[in-house]
């Protein structure tokens, strides 16, 4: 995400946990109403930082991160948006390897995944950046980043986060 403003860090304990609309989350998770308006499941103990249009929840004990970015001017094709910005990723991360961009079915107007690998502080990281549009004036990207070795076991967590995500705007 853009980082023009210095991020503010808030301990996750200060966020307001609520009950999941689908009747419960796995142990160690809670549905959080973020101060900017959306709600989503977050592992207990993860810390929050924010800047500009993004919010990040980070695992204090590892490399796991979930970044939520939002826009008031979403496009109509999430996969095209990823393809348009993908070439710049090479300059932004170390050892970038594109694993693919694909449109996926979802409950929102358009939805696409962009997967890649990168190296950060000596650790190979796998990333899924899921873009979707919930309203004519709201688009989101959920970027899930974990150690490559943990990818397969962590992917169900990402899918749960996406499934339970409640946007601040939808139409």
């Amino acid at each position: 995400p853009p980082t023009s403003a210095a991020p503010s860090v808030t301990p996750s304990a200060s966020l307001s946990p609520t009950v999941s609309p689908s009747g419960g989350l796995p142990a160690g998770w809670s549905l959080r109403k973020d101060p900017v308006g959306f709600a989503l499941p977050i592992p207990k103990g993860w810390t929050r930082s924010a800047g500009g249009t993004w919010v990040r929840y980070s695992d204090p004990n590892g490399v796991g991160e979930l970044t939520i970015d939002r826009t008031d001017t979403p496009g109509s094709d999430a996969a095209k948006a990823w393809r348009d910005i993908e070439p710049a990723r090479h300059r932004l991360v170390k050892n970038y390897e594109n694993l693919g961009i694909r449109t996926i079915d979802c409950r929102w107007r358009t939805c696409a995944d962009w997967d890649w690998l990168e190296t950060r502080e000596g650790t190979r990281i796998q990333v899924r950046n899921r873009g979707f549009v919930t309203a004519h004036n709201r688009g989101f990207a959920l970027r899930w980043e974990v150690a490559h070795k943990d990818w397969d076991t962590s992917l169900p967590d990402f899918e749960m986060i996406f499934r339970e995500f409640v946007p601040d705007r939808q139409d």
Side-chain angles (χ1 to χ4, degrees), residues 46-167:
W46 281 33
T47 57
R48 180 186 186 276
S49 59
T53 63
W54 60 270
V55 172
R56 180 177 298 129
Y57 289 93
S58 302
D59 181 352
N61 302 311
V63 297
E65 292 182 355
L66 174 67
T67 302
I68 306 95
D69 204 352
R70 61 199 184 284
T71 181
D72 294 339
T73 56
S76 61
D77 184 341
K80 179 184 181 317
W82 287 151
R83 285 190 301 273
D84 288 348
I85 65 172
E86 188 275 335
R89 203 81 204 148
H90 293 275
R91 296 186 310 272
L92 299 172
V93 299
K94 186 176 180 182
N95 297 325
Y96 170 80
E97 181 184 340
N98 183 2
L99 299 178
I101 295 171
R102 68 188 184 289
T103 300
I104 64 167
D105 289 330
C106 75
R107 62 184 167 161
W108 307 114
R109 295 169 176 233
T110 181
C111 195
D113 285 348
W114 172 17
D115 293 345
W116 73 81
L117 294 170
E118 65 181 72
T119 302
R120 189 179 314 134
E121 297 175 8
T123 300
R124 197 67 170 151
I125 305 291
Q126 188 155 350
V127 179
R128 169 156 296 159
N129 206 3
R130 179 167 289 169
F132 54 102
V133 175
T134 64
H136 69 281
N137 62 349
R138 180 61 84 215
F140 287 95
L142 300 182
R143 191 170 73 203
W144 183 246
E145 305 179 30
V146 299
H148 179 60
K149 66 180 181 59
D150 300 328
W151 182 253
D152 290 337
T153 58
S154 76
L155 203 50
D157 293 339
F158 173 76
E159 293 301 337
M160 175 192 59
I161 291 166
F162 179 67
R163 183 180 61 249
E164 299 292 330
F165 182 82
V166 179

Side-chain angles (χ1 to χ4, degrees), residues 3-57:
T3 56
S4 58
S8 60
V9 177
T10 305
S12 60
S14 69
L15 300 175
S16 304
T18 60
V19 176
S20 169
S22 66
L25 296 171
W29 289 75
S30 63
L31 190 69
R32 306 283 175 84
K33 173 77 171 170
D34 191 86
V36 300
F38 57 80
L40 73 171
I42 296 294
K44 292 178 182 174
W46 281 33
T47 57
R48 180 186 186 276
S49 59
T53 63
W54 60 270
V55 172
R56 180 177 298 129
Y57 289 93

